Amino acid sequence: MNKVHIWLRAETKPHEQRTALSPKGAKKLIAAGFKVTVECSPQNIFTQEQYQDVNAEIVEQGSWVDAPKDATILGLKELPEDDFPLIHQHIYFAHAYKEQAGWQDLLLRFKRGGGELFDLEYLVDEQQRRIAAFGYWAGFAGAALSVLAWANQQQNINPPLANISSYQDKEQLLGDLKQAIRQIDTKPQLLVIGAKGRSGSGAVDLAKSLSLDVIEWDLAETKKGGPFVEITQADVFVNCVLINRDLPPFVTKELLDQPTRKLSVIVDVSCDPYGSYNPLPIYQQCTTFETPCLRIDDTNVLDLIAIDHLPSLLPKESSEDYGEQLVKHLLTLTDKSQGVWPAALDLFKRKITEI
């Protein structure tokens, strides 16, 4: 039987340093008898030498288009825009199954080329839970930015954050946060909703890493239904709950307008301003690394952070964690009739019929 061939393509989305396969993951695949090819990439947080050290084959960026037809092309974010037929099996976040912009054109490329798509978003276990997710590091990074914004607010820095860059690792980020907090006489109190989930646990861990007071809320505390006046009495509110049904909002403009509000930073890790069930109906668009903060109130200062790619702040840790989760399933590609692959392929085939 031929070796399963995993081809890690270089990410082309600007500033995306994360990867679906770390050198450690590549080493595991190679030890299991897989062939692993890695494209050179100036963006990848890991170096070409780190992949070479585990005996991965190194090739030029973008050469996946000429890869052997039996190679499985692995990536994270969207393919570069083009119109040539897609002949390979691809694993990545395609953002094509909810009729997002360009979804028909993309799926037509697969249809014309005979290729197949295993969308990372839809690789799920028997409980329909994603088998790999970046949630923990989204919560960790979101809470980190909220603390940094709060510290800068205390020094009357406006905007409190601007032109954020990724960090080499968690230690560098924590070092910057500790330095920022040392400039202030007090420390912020955080309230995290969804504290028991993936992203919530990341936010809580960030707070504890800095010895901050953190209030942890989950289902029991939110069962009574919002709006929650308790949110306004924390310095920082971190929302880690993705709502998929109609519920009263966690906060409203009227609640935030109360003169007794202490809250000065909100970070919406869930970041779903376009959904009909948004629990924070006080904003309508995401923020960015270039412009992280949306000023909600100028008088009694309140800033909101809603970045939809927070794990990119820590590309090393988030890639290592995600890759460790994913590689367990990549190892089962020797038999795609088992595990998470059949359901993902069936979904792809159904979507193809809709165009």
Side-chain angles (χ1 to χ4, degrees):
M1 186 176 67
N2 290 335
K3 289 184 177 181
V4 178
H5 188 180
I6 301 292
W7 187 295
L8 181 67
R9 62 175 171 84
E11 299 296 329
T12 55
K13 184 171 183 176
H15 312 299
E16 183 56 82
Q17 294 178 276
R18 292 176 297 167
T19 179
L21 185 67
S22 69
K24 182 179 177 181
K27 182 177 181 179
K28 288 185 177 181
L29 292 174
I30 292 168
F34 285 59
K35 179 177 181 179
V36 176
T37 299
V38 176
E39 292 187 0
C40 298
S41 171
Q43 295 185 190
N44 193 331
I45 190 63
F46 302 107
T47 66
Q48 176 180 320
E49 289 72 25
Q50 287 176 287
Y51 289 104
Q52 287 176 319
D53 287 345
V54 299
N55 297 317
E57 176 188 38
I58 307 299
V59 296
E60 290 300 312
Q61 178 173 343
S63 56
W64 64 266
V65 298
D66 297 316
K69 190 174 180 180
D70 64 351
T72 297
I73 313 301
L74 175 64
L76 270 185
K77 306 304 287 185
E78 301 89 345
L79 296 174
E81 287 190 19
D82 215 317
D83 60 359
F84 60 85
L86 296 170
I87 65 171
H88 299 96
Q89 288 184 335
H90 284 258
I91 303 174
Y92 73 107
F93 286 105
H95 303 300
Y97 290 171
K98 298 175 184 176
E99 300 190 5
Q100 294 98 325
W103 72 278
Q104 289 178 313
D105 293 337
L106 175 64
L107 293 184
L108 277 172
R109 293 176 65 190
F110 278 103
K111 191 171 186 178
R112 286 164 44 214
E116 296 172 337
L117 169 64
F118 296 97
D119 195 309
L120 287 169
E121 185 176 353
Y122 298 93
L123 294 182
V124 296
D125 61 20
E126 294 176 354
Q127 287 74 44
Q128 299 303 299
R129 183 178 170 89
R130 284 190 200 175
I131 53 94
F134 285 101
Y136 177 90
W137 293 104
F140 194 96
L145 291 181
S146 71
V147 171
L148 187 57
W150 177 87
N152 287 340
Q153 284 179 345
Q154 307 313 301
Q155 300 183 78
N156 298 314
I157 297 173
N158 187 26
L161 297 175
N163 295 317
I164 296 169
S165 298
S166 64
Y167 284 81
Q168 187 63 33
D169 54 33
K170 180 178 75 171
E171 285 68 33
Q172 185 188 35
L173 171 61
L174 289 174
D176 276 8
L177 291 172
K178 290 173 183 177
Q179 183 177 357
I181 291 173
R182 279 196 293 268
Q183 310 300 316
I184 315 299
D185 292 333
T186 60
K187 292 184 177 182
Q189 181 189 66
L190 279 69
L191 189 155
V192 178
I193 295 188
K196 293 182 179 179
R198 281 172 168 160
S199 57
S201 63
V204 169
D205 283 355
L206 180 281
K208 291 181 177 179
S209 296
L210 299 171
S211 301
L212 302 181
D213 180 18
V214 55
I215 302 168
E216 302 175 41
W217 276 25
D218 212 87
L219 291 174
E221 292 79 9
T222 57
K223 184 167 57 177
K224 63 183 180 181
F228 302 110
V229 68
E230 294 92 336
I231 291 174
T232 67
Q233 298 311 301
D235 296 294
V236 173
F237 166 45
V238 185
N239 176 47
C240 295
V241 179
L242 185 61
I243 304 296
N244 56 12
R245 58 194 177 98
D246 194 12
L247 291 174
F250 292 166
V251 295
T252 61
K253 186 178 183 304
E254 292 72 24
L255 180 64
L256 297 176
D257 283 343
Q258 295 300 312
T260 55
R261 170 173 57 80
K262 182 183 177 186
L263 180 74
S264 65
V265 179
I266 296 173
V267 58
D268 190 5
V269 175
S270 301
C271 193
D272 188 23
Y274 314 111
S276 57
Y277 304 131
N278 179 16
L280 307 180
I282 56 172
Y283 76 109
Q284 288 76 45
Q285 72 278 341
C286 295
T287 62
T288 65
F289 275 16
E290 289 75 21
T291 309
C293 294
L294 175 67
R295 182 57 56 94
I296 302 294
D297 190 333
D298 263 316
T299 306
N300 183 9
V301 170
L302 176 61
D303 289 296
L304 181 139
I305 301 168
I307 297 170
D308 63 3
H309 57 106
L310 283 167
S312 297
L313 189 72
L314 289 168
K316 178 179 180 289
E317 285 85 358
S318 60
S319 294
E320 288 175 336
D321 185 20
Y322 187 84
E324 185 70 18
Q325 298 171 61
L326 181 62
V327 76
K328 302 172 189 175
H329 300 275
L330 295 178
L331 286 164
T332 69
L333 280 170
T334 51
D335 182 1
K336 288 191 283 291
S337 67
Q338 303 295 320
V340 299
W341 310 109
L345 184 58
D346 286 345
L347 177 59
F348 166 72
K349 290 178 177 177
R350 290 201 304 274
K351 293 297 180 180
I352 284 289
T353 66
E354 296 176 8
I355 56 176

